[in-house]
């Protein structure tokens, strides 16, 4: 049956929520958009007059579309060149979804999105639906064809996996901003020791170039190794300028709700560095330089105010 205008409007009213769920489940804005479009096609083919609660129906269909994508994505990522990191989203992107509670903010953080890759598809779905969107276990069980008890057990396992991979408690935004500025100042001195003092002993640095931009296939681990890498990363070089098409302007901003540095050349985002900052220091750098995962950030960058750059790199 053809959809009426009212049917289309009901779907469009749900689109922002569906996209936010899909992004958290898949870690990719482009894949989330595809999943929501697939859900619309199924809505178009359904007998919608007999759908009693459209929001619940759409959520169930979308979640199962995402579960299928996650299963195939795992196979694709086995052949991915280098480290795989999620697609970062700049502050204010509607696909980030709700961030009112501590659980919602944590579920969209770049660190947690990265950790969710370790979960099974069902664990990821239960975690996202419960922690980020406050679905009761009864509804989650219906969406995933589980019992309520099974949903509760899966959430317990998922929380343990995420907690085990998290760094120590993070600090407030103002303190994080100061540390970001201190990091940039230290990174441009050309010396390692000022950087080491800002890092935790077990700090890590991970980069995702997707085989299209040079990025180390294995993470740097330990404060001194990470500091040495960062010192080299910010060292001026004509080869670096040639590679990115100019001298990047570096801005401090929020990405996925956390502190980050965004490198921009002629309005194009060429890199996003997400920092995981704790009371003990900077625990992790997650650097997204795969151009396929920066298109959305570039589009949003063009429509928002972002102040003056902290640094002209290279």
């Amino acid at each position: 049956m053809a959809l009426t205008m009212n049917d289309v409007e009901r779907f469009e009213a749900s689109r922002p929520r569906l996209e936010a769920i899909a992004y958290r489940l898949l870690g990719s804005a482009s894949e989330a958009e595809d999943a929501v479009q697939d859900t619309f096609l199924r809505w178009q083919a359904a007998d919608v007059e007999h759908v009693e609660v459209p929001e619940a129906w759409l959520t169930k269909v979308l979640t199962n579309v995402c579960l299928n994508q996650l299963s195939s994505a795992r196979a694709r990522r086995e052949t991915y060149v280098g480290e795989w990191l999620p697609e970062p989203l700049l502050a204010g992107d509607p696909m980030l979804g709700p961030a009112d509670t501590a659980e919602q903010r944590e579920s969209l953080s770049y660190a947690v999105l990265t950790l969710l890759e370790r979960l099974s598809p069902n664990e990821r779905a239960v975690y996202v639906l419960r922690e980020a969107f406050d679905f009761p276990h009864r509804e989650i069980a219906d969406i995933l064809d589980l019992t309520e008890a099974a949903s509760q057990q899966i959430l317990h396992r998922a929380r343990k996996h995420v907690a085990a991979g998290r760094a120590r408690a993070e600090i407030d935004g103002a303190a994080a901003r100061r540390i970001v500025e201190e990091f940039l100042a230290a990174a441009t001195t050309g010396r390692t020791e000022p950087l080491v003092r800002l890092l935790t002993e077990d700090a890590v640095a991970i980069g995702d170039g997707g085989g299209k931009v040079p990025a180390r296939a294995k993470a740097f681990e330990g404060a001194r190794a990470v500091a040495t890498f960062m010192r080299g990363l910010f060292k001026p070089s004509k080869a670096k300028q040639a590679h990115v098409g100019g001298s990047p302007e570096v801005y401090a901003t929020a990405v996925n709700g956390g502190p980050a540095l965004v490198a921009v050349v002629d309005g194009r985002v060429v890199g996003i560095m997400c920092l995981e900052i704790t009371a003990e220091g900077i625990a992790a750098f997650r650097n997204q330089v795969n151009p396929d995962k920066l298109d959305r950030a570039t589009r949003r960058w063009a429509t928002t105010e972002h102040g003056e750059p902290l640094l002209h790199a290279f």
Side-chain angles (χ1 to χ4, degrees), residues 186 191-201 203 222-228 280 282:
R191 295 185 291 119
T192 303
E193 290 306 322
L195 280 167
V196 171
R197 290 194 290 270
L198 291 172
L199 309 180
T200 61
E201 289 184 6
R224 187 158 295 278
V226 171
T228 301
E280 290 78 28
I282 304 173

Side-chain angles (χ1 to χ4, degrees), residues 14 18 43 83 86 91 93 127 136 138 171 173 197 203 242 253 266 280 289 293 301 312:
S14 294
L18 296 175
W43 174 249
E83 297 276 357
D93 192 310
Y127 183 89
R138 173 180 50 80
I171 60 177
R197 290 194 290 270
T253 188
D266 295 332
E280 290 78 28
V289 291
K293 299 182 183 180
W301 189 261
H312 286 79

Side-chain angles (χ1 to χ4, degrees), residues 37-198:
Q37 183 59 24
D38 195 350
T39 301
F40 175 73
L41 295 176
R42 299 185 188 206
W43 174 249
Q44 196 174 38
D47 186 1
V48 297
E49 288 185 3
H50 294 89
V51 175
E52 294 182 5
V53 185
E55 292 77 11
W57 189 95
L58 291 169
T59 302
K60 179 166 185 169
V61 170
L62 173 83
T63 301
N64 283 285
V65 167
C66 289
L67 288 176
N68 288 336
Q69 286 199 22
L70 280 173
S71 297
S72 61
R74 283 173 177 263
R76 291 198 306 275
R77 287 169 194 170
E78 287 179 2
T79 60
Y80 193 82
V81 178
E83 297 276 357
W84 186 96
L85 290 173
E87 181 175 349
L89 297 183
L90 299 180
D93 192 310
M95 197 174 279
L96 288 170
D100 300 321
T101 68
E103 291 80 9
Q104 288 172 340
R105 289 190 293 274
E106 180 170 82
S107 72
L108 67 81
S109 76
Y110 204 65
V112 167
L113 277 183
T114 303
L115 287 170
L116 292 185
E117 287 296 304
R118 303 180 183 181
L119 305 184
S120 70
N122 265 11
E123 286 173 339
R124 187 163 183 161
V126 171
Y127 183 89
V128 166
L129 292 172
R130 181 62 183 164
E131 298 292 90
F133 296 91
D134 201 29
F135 277 76
H137 283 289
R138 173 180 50 80
E139 293 184 24
I140 296 173
D142 180 62
I143 290 170
L144 298 175
D145 295 323
L146 303 167
T147 65
E148 287 188 53
S151 177
Q152 291 167 348
Q153 290 171 354
I154 290 171
L155 178 64
H156 179 69
R157 287 201 307 271
R159 282 174 171 167
K160 284 183 64 177
H161 288 316
V162 171
R166 290 286 279 143
R168 295 146 293 275
E170 296 184 4
I171 60 177
D172 66 78
R177 171 72 183 221
R178 288 196 302 273
I179 291 175
V180 168
E181 292 175 355
E182 289 175 15
F183 162 73
L184 268 185
T188 54
T189 64
R191 295 185 291 119
T192 303
E193 290 306 322
L195 280 167
V196 171
R197 290 194 290 270
L198 291 172

